[in-house]
């Protein structure tokens, strides 16, 4: 099955300024805007907001 642009791979970069990233997929129909999730940043040692970068 071919991968399409409905569920693109996105990078989530930490807003703590550590440079740590998560890589995930998102559904463009459900989340057309930039994704923002609170996840654990191991460099900062706490949960911070991660924003989608393109």
């Amino acid at each position: 099955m071919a991968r399409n642009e409905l569920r693109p791979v996105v990078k989530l970069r930490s807003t703590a300024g550590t440079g740590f990233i998560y890589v995930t997929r998102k559904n463009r129909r459900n989340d057309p805007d930039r994704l923002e999730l609170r996840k654990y940043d191991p460099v900062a040692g706490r949960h911070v907001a991660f924003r989608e970068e393109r």
Side-chain angles (χ1 to χ4, degrees), residues 5 12-13 18 20-21 23 28 31 35 37 39-40 45-46 48 52:
E5 287 300 313
L12 301 175
R13 184 169 299 275
T18 59
F20 190 78
I21 63 167
V23 179
R28 278 223 173 114
D31 301 307
L35 202 57
L37 300 173
K39 294 181 75 67
Y40 184 73
R46 58 192 171 97
V48 296
E52 175 186 343

